[in-house]
Amino acid sequence: MKYIFLPFINSNAGNAWRQELEDSFISGEGSDLTAEINNIRRGKQDYINLSDYYHDLHEKKAQRQKLWLERLALQTAAVFDDMLRRLSEDERDPKKTTIIAALPEFFWVDINDNHKHEDDIINYHKPVYSANLINCLLNKSNPLMSLTNRYHNLIFFAGTVMWKYIDGLDNKDEKIYNTLMIFGSGEIQELWSKANISTIDGFCDWSKSKVVKDKTGHGSTNTAPVVTFNEKTFVYDICLDFIQGKDKMPLSSELYESEADANVLICAGMSVDSNKVKDMRSNILFRCDGNGSDGTFAEITDRSGTQLAKQTNDVIIDRLETTV
């Protein structure tokens, strides 16, 4: 079986693409709602009840957030579709090839237009509201999900979304979750929330000594992070979970005790070495890294720690492949 790996690359090209998309959105279709949001922020002192202020603010932010997520999903699907259209007939054949597309950790976040917490919290992310998670990203109209309906051998590890349920009365107790979305055959295959929180998840102060607010929504470990697609079994981890299972093994290995066909690591700064991969449940790892702290944003590595393929070009999406 041939595997084709299509990871989004958060290097200069990927970052520039994302920033240009944000800038054009704020100055274009999102400009009127942004002006309304800023007017509400400036008039906060005029509200008698804070609950009324937050209601009005959330309402406008939710409208703009919906437009942003739709724009981001549409443009992201377009760049992946461009890569997928170049596949040969054999590479589209589920009997011969499995295609793994991937987005990195923290890909789905709201735009931080007022630069909130940039000076006091490490890697702060504005969360997506639960209604927009459900109605936009988890809706079958999501063009990324639609791609997996057109390419029958494509499984899409569609990055993580930082999201929360809104508390209209008191946002101090709101929990923020970091959840991986997996699409295939035009459907949601699995959702999995990160279990172990690290200093880069947007909850720690710049001294890295403490969590600023206990707003972390931890994932459940009552089930195993596993999905079966195209007769292949994939186990997966989100960043720190890869080394926070029993005896520092991958959490996926602790929770799934059988042999799998492949491991997938969606992260933002989790480098891979032989000590980390030896305890995997498969002989092959596909890593998509939003940080690339070791200089590599994507790679395919086997259980011995041998790197079979890696990203070498400054591109938005790369193509790596291997046959096992």
Side-chain angles (χ1 to χ4, degrees):
M1 169 66 71
K2 180 179 180 178
Y3 288 102
I4 294 178
F5 186 35
L6 302 178
F8 183 93
I9 305 301
N10 238 3
S11 59
N12 292 333
N15 285 329
W17 175 86
R18 175 68 172 258
Q19 191 60 56
E20 183 179 343
L21 197 61
E22 286 191 14
D23 293 344
S24 65
F25 174 80
I26 288 295
S27 63
E29 61 191 296
S31 60
D32 290 345
L33 282 169
T34 299
E36 293 182 57
I37 289 167
N38 287 331
N39 284 336
I40 293 171
R41 286 169 174 157
R42 284 191 291 266
K44 181 178 181 179
Q45 70 278 359
D46 299 328
Y47 283 85
I48 298 174
N49 298 312
L50 272 181
S51 60
D52 293 333
Y53 165 75
Y54 283 117
H55 173 274
D56 291 350
L57 182 64
H58 287 147
E59 183 177 56
K60 291 301 177 184
K61 286 179 65 179
Q63 292 176 24
R64 185 185 67 181
Q65 188 182 96
K66 180 176 182 294
L67 289 178
W68 163 240
L69 292 174
E70 290 173 344
R71 174 78 177 277
L72 179 58
L74 184 65
Q75 295 301 315
T76 303
V79 293
F80 274 95
D81 192 28
D82 182 61
M83 292 289 289
L84 290 164
R85 289 177 183 273
R86 305 175 199 174
L87 297 173
S88 68
E89 190 172 322
D90 280 355
E91 291 171 337
R92 299 184 191 211
D93 186 347
K95 295 180 180 179
K96 298 178 180 179
T97 306
T98 296
I99 307 165
I100 304 166
L103 294 169
E105 190 178 14
F106 311 129
F107 188 85
W108 304 100
V109 295
D110 201 1
I111 295 176
N112 192 3
D113 62 300
N114 62 340
H115 307 288
K116 186 177 181 180
H117 293 310
E118 287 185 349
D119 296 327
D120 61 331
I121 297 180
I122 301 166
N123 207 30
Y124 173 74
H125 313 280
K126 270 189 183 292
V128 169
Y129 299 158
S130 58
N132 283 328
L133 168 65
I134 295 168
N135 296 327
C136 296
L137 298 181
L138 301 182
N139 193 299
K140 285 190 176 182
S141 63
N142 183 339
L144 293 175
M145 206 181 304
S146 299
L147 278 180
T148 67
N149 200 30
R150 289 167 47 200
Y151 297 90
H152 301 300
N153 59 339
L154 169 65
I155 184 169
F156 210 131
F157 288 81
T160 73
V161 51
M162 300 293 285
W163 66 279
K164 68 177 182 178
Y165 296 104
I166 295 175
D167 185 338
L169 297 177
D170 185 0
N171 66 358
K172 291 185 175 63
D173 292 328
E174 291 174 340
K175 301 296 185 184
I176 301 173
Y177 297 84
N178 186 2
T179 300
L180 172 64
M181 304 177 293
I182 304 173
F183 304 143
S185 303
E187 306 279 348
I188 302 168
Q189 294 291 316
E190 294 290 342
L191 300 173
W192 180 265
S193 292
K194 188 176 182 180
N196 296 281
I197 306 303
S198 67
T199 55
I200 66 166
D201 286 5
F203 301 105
C204 292
D205 67 11
W206 276 101
S207 70
K208 300 187 180 182
S209 61
K210 61 182 174 61
V211 174
V212 176
K213 296 179 181 178
D214 185 18
K215 299 172 76 72
T216 59
H218 296 271
S220 170
T221 55
N222 294 326
T223 59
V226 58
V227 59
T228 299
F229 178 81
N230 200 27
E231 301 183 351
K232 299 295 180 183
T233 301
F234 297 88
V235 293
Y236 45 88
D237 292 278
I238 303 173
C239 207
L240 189 61
D241 289 349
F242 191 65
I243 57 171
Q244 288 297 311
K246 182 180 179 181
D247 297 326
K248 298 300 181 181
M249 68 168 57
L251 182 62
S252 60
S253 297
E254 176 187 343
L255 299 177
Y256 186 78
E257 297 182 354
S258 302
E259 187 73 3
D261 292 295
N263 278 66
V264 177
L265 175 58
I266 301 298
C267 58
M270 178 55 64
S271 58
V272 171
D273 60 39
S274 57
N275 290 325
K276 296 174 183 177
V277 297
K278 63 181 177 60
D279 293 323
M280 296 191 310
R281 291 302 184 205
S282 77
N283 192 45
I284 190 168
L285 172 72
F286 299 90
R287 167 186 168 231
C288 180
D289 193 319
N291 187 344
S293 55
D294 61 352
T296 302
F297 291 87
E299 66 177 305
I300 304 174
T301 302
D302 70 15
R303 192 152 40 189
S304 72
T306 301
Q307 196 174 61
L308 306 178
K310 70 174 183 177
Q311 163 259 340
T312 57
N313 299 314
D314 189 11
V315 293
I316 299 174
I317 298 173
D318 212 343
R319 171 182 164 142
L320 311 178
E321 61 184 75
T322 189
T323 301
V324 295

